[in-house]
Amino acid sequence: MAKKLIVGAVLFLICCIFGHSTAFAFWESNLVYEGESIYNYLQVKENDNEVILSTNVLFGVQSMFVKDNSLTGMYYDYALASAYMADIYHKNNIDVLILGNGTGTFSTQLNHHFDNVTIEGVEIDEKITKLAYEYFELSDNVNVTTYDGRAYLQAIDKKYDIIMVDAYQDITIPFQMSTIEFFTMVKQHLNDDGVMVVNMNMRSTQEGNISQYLSDTIAYVFSDVYTVDVSGSTNRELFAGNKDLMNIFHMNINLEKNTELQALMSRVNSHLEPYHSGNYIMTDDKAPVELLGMKVIDSLIGNEVEYYKKIYDTEGIKGLIEALQ
């Protein structure tokens, strides 16, 4: 009951502090777009440094564009390690497929840092793709297909050097893109030395959590799997292939001349950990992603509420208001 009262008080105070607006997200002052698609609530915010897409009402960054083309500070930067693992500096061209293209943050980062990439995107929400070209400067050279990621793989024969799976959003994890059958299909669409990179955004220390299920399932399919936690977030990047990814990774980051990128890749390298398959396997017949995701979300929310409850207990309502500002 105490937690519910604290949550109610927090929401009430937000309304009191920020007042009224014709926008649904009335507390936001820098919205350039607000709308809905058949899949999402859509919110585009812009400031002097970046443009951000959020599909959550209160919080969350799903895609972003950094105006000076610097690194984003998010998981997209870590995902660039897949290019080095795919032997970017020893190939004339790298073919990339992004399942869950969003507004093209990873596409834009790849195009900015490397000149030998050809990128295709798949995005189920057509409105997000339109926003990508209008607000996020997604290159016209990136061809985006409006489709489900797994259905797209079933419809094509092409193979790629990198396939990024970025279709998991909070507890919205498509079960058909989380199973042995799906990851086997991804493997079949990779070149022999290709790399799959997967963004998992709800890492947890709980036994049998959603990230553990996904990682075990992937390691059942791929022989070489590594994970790295993204600093300052709940994201975890997973890299999978069937070659010695680490040797190729080291060889290519040593050739990187961009000091910012090399520093980042060295940091990723120092935190990459090999992952071996466990017993938490998901198949098309059994993939309880909704239940697993809700367990993690409940834990995260519980931790946040506990934080504000402690402030209220020690500093009262005044301290709570100050913490929210």
Side-chain angles (χ1 to χ4, degrees):
M1 178 62 71
K3 288 184 177 181
K4 291 180 180 179
L5 290 173
I6 294 296
V7 172
V10 168
L11 293 174
F12 175 75
L13 288 169
I14 288 174
C15 294
C16 292
I17 292 169
F18 292 102
H20 303 282
S21 169
T22 56
F24 186 66
F26 57 81
W27 55 89
E28 297 286 1
S29 59
N30 57 349
L31 289 183
V32 296
Y33 176 86
E34 185 181 42
E36 291 182 276
S37 70
I38 61 174
Y39 297 102
N40 293 293
Y41 162 79
L42 301 170
Q43 184 186 98
V44 178
K45 294 179 283 189
E46 182 174 8
N47 57 41
D48 292 339
N49 302 316
E50 59 198 12
V51 185
I52 294 170
L53 171 73
S54 177
T55 57
N56 290 311
V57 177
L58 283 172
F59 60 89
V61 174
Q62 274 65 57
S63 292
M64 69 187 304
F65 170 67
V66 183
K67 295 180 179 180
D68 65 0
N69 290 314
S70 61
L71 295 173
T72 66
M74 298 178 66
Y75 71 86
Y76 308 102
D77 303 341
Y78 285 59
L80 289 172
S82 61
Y84 299 91
M85 294 177 182
D87 211 6
I88 187 78
Y89 287 130
H90 294 91
K91 292 182 179 177
N92 293 328
N93 187 71
I94 293 285
D95 286 313
V96 182
L97 176 65
I98 303 172
L99 303 178
N101 190 67
T103 60
T105 306
F106 188 54
S107 306
T108 301
Q109 288 283 340
L110 283 171
N111 272 324
H112 175 70
H113 292 291
F114 308 107
D115 58 9
N116 58 334
V117 291
T118 302
I119 306 170
E120 299 172 35
V122 179
E123 172 56 53
I124 199 168
D125 194 329
E126 187 175 18
K127 268 199 175 181
I128 288 180
T129 300
K130 289 180 179 178
L131 294 175
Y133 291 114
E134 183 173 356
Y135 294 104
F136 293 82
E137 299 190 19
L138 179 62
S139 171
D140 291 334
N141 293 328
V142 179
N143 181 43
V144 182
T145 302
T146 304
Y147 221 51
D148 170 80
R150 178 164 174 171
Y152 185 81
L153 288 179
Q154 287 177 316
I156 64 170
D157 296 322
K158 184 175 178 178
K159 292 193 175 186
Y160 299 87
D161 298 290
I162 299 172
I163 295 179
M164 183 183 197
V165 180
D166 193 14
Y168 309 149
Q169 178 184 317
D170 297 332
I171 62 172
T172 309
I173 296 179
F175 86 91
Q176 77 276 14
M177 296 180 68
S178 64
T179 65
I180 285 177
E181 291 84 352
F182 168 69
F183 292 116
T184 299
M185 192 179 300
V186 172
K187 180 179 176 180
Q188 291 168 346
H189 284 82
L190 283 171
N191 291 321
D192 290 342
D193 57 351
V195 182
M196 177 182 70
V197 53
V198 180
N199 175 52
M200 299 182 290
N201 61 353
M202 289 191 295
R203 72 172 189 256
S204 171
T205 57
Q206 294 176 333
E207 180 67 21
N209 63 75
I210 182 63
S211 293
Q212 191 172 4
Y213 265 91
L214 287 168
S215 301
D216 283 2
T217 302
I218 292 168
Y220 183 89
V221 175
F222 289 88
S223 62
D224 208 23
V225 178
Y226 291 86
T227 63
V228 58
D229 290 346
V230 179
S231 177
S233 78
T234 61
N235 291 75
R236 174 175 293 163
E237 296 304 288
L238 181 149
F239 304 91
N242 289 299
K243 296 285 185 178
D244 188 351
L245 296 184
M246 289 305 293
N247 279 341
I248 300 171
F249 182 48
H250 294 154
M251 179 172 57
N252 281 278
I253 62 175
N254 288 333
L255 297 173
E256 179 56 64
K257 296 179 181 179
N258 181 310
T259 54
E260 184 183 30
L261 262 183
Q262 189 175 66
L264 173 65
M265 290 301 110
S266 296
R267 189 160 69 249
V268 170
N269 175 59
S270 65
H271 291 91
L272 275 170
E273 296 183 355
Y275 193 93
H276 304 288
S277 180
N279 297 319
Y280 294 102
I281 306 295
M282 291 191 287
T283 66
D284 282 353
D285 293 332
K286 186 178 181 181
V289 289
E290 294 91 351
L291 178 60
L292 294 168
M294 288 177 64
K295 286 182 178 179
V296 178
I297 287 291
D298 286 347
S299 176
L300 293 173
I301 292 175
N303 291 337
E304 287 297 314
V305 170
E306 188 64 28
Y307 169 76
Y308 287 109
K309 183 178 182 298
K310 287 180 180 178
I311 293 176
Y312 177 78
D313 289 342
T314 57
E315 303 177 34
I317 193 70
K318 182 179 180 182
L320 185 60
I321 293 173
E322 292 175 351
L324 291 168
Q325 292 178 318

